[in-house]
Amino acid sequence: VATVETSRLVTLFGPGGIGKTRLAIEVASRLGERFPDGVWIAALETVQDGTFVPLEIARAAGVRERADASPVAVLREAFATRRVLLVVDNCEHVVDAVASLATELLESAHGVHMLATSREALGVRGEAVVAVPVLDLPDSASGMPIEDLARVESVRLFVERARLSRPDFALTADNASTVVQLCRDLDGLPL
């Protein structure tokens, strides 16, 4: 949280499935009141062409397109005097376009802060890169109460994801050792 307040561009960096998006959303929710003109999340996973990055960010922020100006110019103008946090999620496949837009906005709109998630750094001057560590792993399920095991990050994520396909899934004494072994086999990324 403190890094986003002191650096105008922060990239949460790490492998896919590690929880970068979840962390970015948590940080954004904690910082919302510090950005009185808004916090917006632009999800780029479906954007295949970097030229559409400014448009996607404009849509996420509720900035209207104009026929007489480029999307980048419209964003610069919209944010020129505003204090906002832009969360730009899943940048790795359009990293050059995001880096270019970040450079433009950070130079022209001094109240803009950006929080990006990516499998690689953007490479923009002034960028603070924060490596997102793998989730905590339990040593084993034996001897650990189910309530404690359920609080371990990787197990909690496993249970959340399992419930997406089986809403009745629950961590029990019968399946705890299997869940722990799966989390360990997947290096803390049980997706």
Side-chain angles (χ1 to χ4, degrees):
V1 172
T3 304
V4 175
E5 292 177 305
T6 58
S7 296
R8 292 186 52 222
L9 173 60
V10 176
T11 299
L12 299 176
F13 165 78
I18 203 164
K20 297 180 298 291
T21 298
R22 182 196 318 223
L23 179 58
I25 291 169
E26 177 66 25
V27 168
S29 71
R30 288 184 185 187
L31 291 175
E33 64 191 35
R34 293 185 179 107
F35 294 95
D37 296 315
V39 174
W40 291 283
I41 299 172
L44 302 181
E45 66 268 359
T46 61
V47 176
Q48 296 303 316
D49 182 341
T51 59
F52 293 108
V53 166
L55 235 116
E56 190 60 37
I57 291 173
R59 285 185 189 134
V63 175
R64 292 182 183 237
E65 297 176 52
R66 289 193 349 234
D68 65 330
S70 73
V72 174
V74 171
L75 285 171
R76 278 195 319 256
E77 183 180 311
F79 296 135
T81 60
R82 298 171 73 189
R83 184 160 167 76
V84 300
L85 174 62
L86 299 175
V87 178
V88 186
D89 189 35
N90 292 310
C91 299
E92 54 273 347
H93 60 290
V94 286
V95 71
D96 292 337
V98 174
S100 176
L101 180 62
T103 300
E104 291 260 355
L105 289 178
L106 296 175
E107 287 177 359
S108 63
H110 298 286
V112 170
H113 284 239
M114 293 180 74
L115 176 59
T117 69
S118 184
R119 294 180 190 179
E120 61 183 280
L122 301 181
V124 173
R125 186 173 51 92
E127 173 185 28
V129 179
V130 177
V132 178
V134 295
L135 301 176
D136 289 341
L137 290 168
D139 291 328
S140 72
S142 64
M144 185 180 270
I146 292 297
E147 299 80 29
D148 292 344
L149 188 59
R151 285 191 283 274
V152 175
E153 292 174 331
S154 59
V155 173
R156 190 174 66 233
L157 180 59
F158 180 91
V159 170
E160 287 175 13
R161 297 304 165 102
R163 286 183 179 153
L164 291 176
S165 63
R166 285 192 40 210
D168 62 334
F169 182 83
L171 182 65
T172 65
D174 292 335
N175 66 16
S177 62
T178 301
V179 169
V180 167
Q181 189 58 50
L182 282 168
C183 290
R184 293 189 65 70
D185 289 348
L186 297 170
D187 297 323
L189 301 174
L191 302 178

